[in-house]
Amino acid sequence: MSSSSAVPAAKPPIRDALVAAAFRLFLERGYEQTTVDDIVALAGVGRRSFFRYFPSKEDVVFPDHERCLAEMTAFLAAGGPEHEPVRRVCDAARLVLRMYAENPTFSVQRYRLTRKVPGLRAYELSVVWRYERALAEYLRARFAGRPDGTLRADVIAAAVVAAHNNALRSWLRSDGKGDPGTAVDHALGYVQMTFGRSAAAPATPATPPAATAPPTETVRAAAPAAAAAWAGHAGVGAATGQPDDVVVLVSRRDAPLWRVVQELETVLGRA
């Protein structure tokens, strides 16, 4: 063979060839009009090869989710007691973002396809539920033995998935333009700010019935020095228009953070 002979291009792996063939046909003919036989014919392989990699036609639309779910599960399992649990599940959700960001063109095509085909949308929701379940199971183990530990784990897991998907879908709707990591970091940061500290705090005994009090109570006091500190940190003085006014919020330790924030906003006239 002469040195000038062209070297034939290497064929893509069968799995990749099947995915490429499937999406080419989905775009040209439509998802419902494309059969597995059509896909394998274009890819140049047999039906047996298709089902070796994908149990169904729906699975070829989501080829990387099984791998990503396995990576997420392993990442969570590797976490130790030194890892703050809410931050850990937020970092686990970023693994899903990385999968989408690796191939923006494919991710946008899949997003458009799932919007058109109800069956794919239902399949996608089942995949999302599996991610959420993995996060919740990790959090349930971390919050075991705490009051409302299971409830807390499930709520936080749902919040992480919702925040991640909100930012991810905004990026997909923009045709994959820009850096999706910035938006996802912002969304997950909101979850960490809302749940991180209270979720990681040690459990405290429930208040005895005789000592039951409202979850939050607010007191206004004239304290210029304290007001200045609050205004510099959170803008309370500016919001009330009274530079010498400070809002003191008294709350039970087990009061949910959303209730504390709601009470504060009510006092400041923002509700």
Side-chain angles (χ1 to χ4, degrees), residues 11 37 47 59 63 67 76 80 88 127 134 136 145 154 156 185 199 206 215 217 237 246 252 270:
K11 291 184 177 180
D37 287 334
R47 282 177 59 90
D59 288 286
R67 171 183 60 82
L76 293 171
R88 191 70 176 177
V127 173
D154 292 349
I156 294 173
D185 285 345
E217 180 181 356
V246 60
R252 291 206 312 257
R270 298 178 184 174

Side-chain angles (χ1 to χ4, degrees), residues 143-153 201-206 254:
F143 299 153
R146 299 185 181 185
D148 293 329
T150 298
L151 174 62
R152 181 179 300 186
T204 56
D254 62 345

